[in-house]
Amino acid sequence: FPSEHYQLYVPESAQVGSAVGKIKANDADTGSNADMKYTIINGDGSGVFSISTDKETREGILSLKKPLNYEKKKSYTLNIEGANTHLDFRFSHLGPFKDVTMLKVIVGDVDEPPLFTMPSYVMEVYENAKIGTPVGTVTAHDPDAANSLVRYFIDHNTEEDRYFTIDASTGTIKTAKIFDREETPWYNITVAASEIDNPGLVSHVPVGVRILDVNDNPPELARDYDVVVCENTKPGQVIQTITATDKDDSANGARFHFSLDEGLSLNPNFTLRNNEDNTASILTRRRRYSRTTQDIYYLPVLISDGGVPPLSSSSTLTIRVCACERDGRVRTCHAEAFLSSAGLSTGALIAILLCIVILLAIVVLFITLRRSKKEPLIISEEDVRENVVTYDDEGGGEEDTEAFDITALRNPSAAEELKYRRDVRPEVKPLSRHHPSSSLDSIDVQEFIKQRLAEADLDPSVPPYDSLQTYAYEGHRSEAGSISSLDSATTHSDQDYNYLGDWGPEFKKLAELYGEIEPERTT
């Protein structure tokens, strides 16, 4: 080695496994005769540092095996030996072919982040604890000689981190919500610490919070049981074994107790036996059950756990009565089994229903025929009682002239001679009612109606009931004449409409209607 003493500065923040320095010994030989190996033979730093040889440069590479801490040890001394790997015994008397030097390593002080007292923390808190309940405390300190104050906070990177709060000065963690162990039994959070003087130096530590169980869930049946009892069962026979579950931890509900509700009267049909192994058996108490009498039974069961405080719940079992084979296999529980027990087959039931339908059809047909039967309209001559005959036939309106002459109702002057009813044949010759035309022209309408009323009262040919006759006569023509245009088509007009033909093709049709122009005909 060129020197007997060497000195190396290594900061305490150096990473384990990293190279912190180099050292080299000189050899006048060349080739393989110059190859050498470096080793640490003694010194207080042999357990902290290691050395390896670079075959290309023939240098010794000093690496860090353990982390440095300036506050605990500020320097290390190493004795390093360099020796040839290839020896020629012919020149052994010239040896030794090795050399030793001393290396002093100075550890440099570096401002380090706070250091937690534990690499990780595990804390516990009971479920249903009030908000603000303390969970635990983390502790960190400044490893440097300055011993700066430390500030704590929680990294809110996940939703779970928002369920807790921490005191920035003391590091005490508290709950920020009410927990339910059955929903989430474990939470993982990360607590960070930094120096107040240098907030950029931050260290982290994981904290796990276990939620302890509280007996707050009553036990319940493990599933919905379909309990069946056979009709030919015997007393004391087990028909079902039931179990229960509890959402709480096994320490607060692992042992269940089954019983019948003591508040109810003694059940004469079924009983329950607690098996002392978290199960219970349902047993019958009497012989033979009949579906025709009762096909469903209900059995209330009380279940309690062994937690502190103990909790209980009540469940109701539904027990169906079914027909079974001799070996206990269920044959059927459907309603059609009742029909077979009564001796009626499916074909017999269909025949009975068909007969009932036919009978109902006959009754309906008979009632319909009775209602559709009408009384005869012709009354016997021997029946002298007063009869009322109702005609539901509807007339034909003003165009129906078979019953009477409409002109007689419109204008009295038109009724110069008597018009007979066409729908009734008179049995007696009516009275003659001829009036001179001059009297008809000058007669008043009121007098005309009175005459018609008197003639109807004395005429034996009219029907034997009151008749309503409507006269729409408007009275005598005024001297000024009618202003209506209804009869204008039948009377001659002095108006000349020939000028309509000069108005153009748009008024051609109107000119044909009112003028003397004859419409064009196509052949």
Side-chain angles (χ1 to χ4, degrees):
F1 289 97
S3 176
E4 294 182 357
H5 299 280
Y6 291 90
Q7 186 172 312
L8 179 64
Y9 176 82
V10 179
E12 63 177 339
S13 60
Q15 299 294 323
V16 175
S18 62
V20 296
K22 297 179 181 180
I23 192 171
K24 184 177 181 180
N26 298 325
D27 194 331
D29 296 320
T30 59
S32 61
N33 293 326
D35 293 339
M36 64 186 69
K37 179 180 180 182
Y38 297 92
T39 58
I40 299 175
I41 56 177
N42 55 33
D44 56 359
S46 59
V48 180
F49 298 92
S50 63
I51 192 169
S52 59
T53 304
D54 187 346
K55 295 181 179 180
E56 297 294 333
T57 62
R58 295 185 175 95
E59 293 178 332
I61 308 300
L62 190 66
S63 301
L64 188 62
K65 293 173 58 178
K66 293 183 180 180
L68 302 176
N69 191 337
Y70 173 82
E71 288 72 26
K72 291 183 179 181
K73 193 172 180 60
K74 297 178 175 57
S75 65
Y76 294 90
T77 300
L78 302 175
N79 292 324
I80 301 175
E81 178 187 72
N84 288 127
T85 56
H86 299 281
L87 298 177
D88 192 342
F89 294 101
R90 294 177 299 171
F91 306 102
S92 59
H93 62 282
L94 300 177
F97 296 91
K98 60 183 177 180
D99 194 12
V100 178
T101 187
M102 186 180 69
L103 175 63
K104 185 177 181 179
V105 179
I106 304 300
V107 179
D109 187 18
V110 178
D111 192 5
E112 300 175 277
L115 181 64
F116 285 95
T117 57
M118 298 178 60
S120 63
Y121 293 85
V122 176
M123 303 177 183
E124 295 178 343
V125 65
Y126 281 97
E127 64 175 334
N128 301 330
K130 296 181 180 179
I131 296 177
T133 301
V135 180
T137 303
V138 296
T139 304
H141 65 279
D142 184 8
D144 299 322
N147 196 17
S148 301
L149 295 178
V150 178
R151 175 180 172 271
Y152 303 94
F153 58 93
I154 297 177
D155 283 345
H156 295 291
N157 296 326
T158 62
E159 186 67 23
E160 294 182 355
D161 296 329
R162 304 181 184 275
Y163 295 161
F164 300 91
T165 60
I166 189 171
D167 191 298
S169 301
T170 63
T172 301
I173 300 175
K174 298 180 180 180
T175 61
K177 63 165 289 186
I178 298 177
F179 300 99
D180 185 2
R181 191 204 67 85
E182 288 72 34
E183 180 179 350
T184 305
W186 187 277
Y187 292 89
N188 294 311
I189 62 176
T190 301
V191 177
S194 64
E195 296 180 8
I196 295 179
D197 298 336
N198 190 1
L201 296 175
V202 181
S203 58
H204 300 82
V205 66
V207 179
V209 181
R210 180 187 296 111
I211 307 301
L212 301 179
D213 184 53
V214 175
N215 192 28
D216 57 349
N217 292 280
E220 55 187 13
L221 290 177
R223 59 183 178 87
D224 294 332
Y225 289 94
D226 184 16
V227 186
V228 173
V229 60
C230 296
E231 290 183 319
N232 56 353
T233 189
K234 298 179 181 179
Q237 184 174 348
V238 177
I239 60 175
Q240 183 69 51
T241 299
I242 59 176
T243 60
T245 58
D246 196 331
K247 295 181 180 179
D248 293 320
D249 193 11
S250 58
N252 284 317
R255 192 166 187 82
F256 302 113
H257 182 268
F258 300 85
S259 63
L260 296 179
D261 193 348
E262 297 179 355
L264 301 177
S265 59
L266 182 64
N267 193 313
N269 302 307
F270 303 95
T271 185
L272 183 142
R273 182 181 64 200
N274 186 24
N275 298 328
E276 302 295 337
D277 59 352
N278 294 333
T279 64
S281 300
I282 309 299
L283 298 88
T284 58
R285 300 194 65 173
R286 63 184 179 89
R287 183 187 302 273
R288 300 191 65 84
Y289 295 84
S290 175
R291 285 170 296 162
T292 58
T293 304
Q294 185 174 353
D295 59 339
I296 295 179
Y297 293 88
Y298 298 98
L299 183 65
V301 177
L302 187 65
I303 312 172
S304 60
D305 58 20
V308 179
L311 297 178
S312 62
S313 66
S314 179
S315 302
T316 301
L317 293 175
T318 301
I319 304 175
R320 297 184 299 146
V321 180
C322 299
C324 303
E325 303 291 346
R326 292 184 178 273
D327 56 359
R329 291 181 301 170
V330 177
R331 185 171 69 244
T332 180
C333 296
H334 300 298
E336 53 264 22
F338 300 148
L339 305 176
S340 61
S341 62
L344 296 178
S345 62
T346 305
L349 284 177
I350 295 176
I352 293 175
L353 292 176
L354 185 60
C355 293
I356 293 175
V357 171
I358 295 175
L359 182 60
L360 289 176
I362 294 174
V363 172
V364 171
L365 181 61
F366 178 75
I367 295 175
T368 304
L369 293 177
R370 288 289 301 271
R371 289 184 178 181
S372 62
K373 186 177 181 181
K374 296 182 179 180
E375 296 292 338
L377 297 178
I378 301 176
I379 308 301
S380 175
E381 295 181 357
E382 288 78 8
D383 192 355
V384 296
R385 294 175 299 172
E386 182 176 350
N387 293 276
V388 178
V389 180
T390 303
Y391 295 91
D392 294 332
D393 297 335
E394 187 175 335
E398 294 184 356
E399 297 181 358
D400 185 7
T401 58
E402 295 298 328
F404 55 88
D405 189 357
I406 194 67
T407 59
L409 300 179
R410 294 295 181 185
N411 191 354
S413 62
E416 297 182 357
E417 59 184 29
L418 179 63
K419 303 294 183 180
Y420 300 104
R421 288 179 58 88
R422 301 180 183 180
D423 57 340
V424 178
R425 177 176 296 179
E427 297 180 359
V428 182
K429 186 176 181 180
L431 297 177
S432 176
R433 294 191 299 266
H434 292 281
H435 299 280
S437 59
S438 59
S439 62
L440 290 175
D441 294 335
S442 60
I443 191 170
D444 184 32
V445 65
Q446 182 177 2
E447 186 65 24
F448 174 77
I449 293 176
K450 289 182 180 180
Q451 293 180 6
R452 284 285 187 260
L453 179 60
E455 294 175 359
D457 291 340
L458 299 177
D459 191 354
S461 63
V462 299
Y465 49 82
D466 293 340
S467 176
L468 178 62
Q469 299 184 15
T470 302
Y471 298 92
Y473 177 63
E474 297 181 357
H476 294 290
R477 182 184 300 271
S478 65
E479 296 179 0
S482 175
I483 63 175
S484 173
S485 62
L486 297 178
D487 296 334
S488 62
T490 58
T491 59
H492 179 72
S493 176
D494 296 335
Q495 182 69 30
D496 186 6
Y497 296 98
N498 292 330
Y499 62 88
L500 295 176
D502 301 333
W503 285 10
E506 292 84 355
F507 297 91
K508 181 179 180 181
K509 188 66 178 177
L510 190 63
E512 293 177 357
L513 294 176
Y514 287 90
E516 296 180 358
I517 302 175
E518 293 184 0
E520 297 180 0
R521 298 180 180 272
T522 58
T523 58

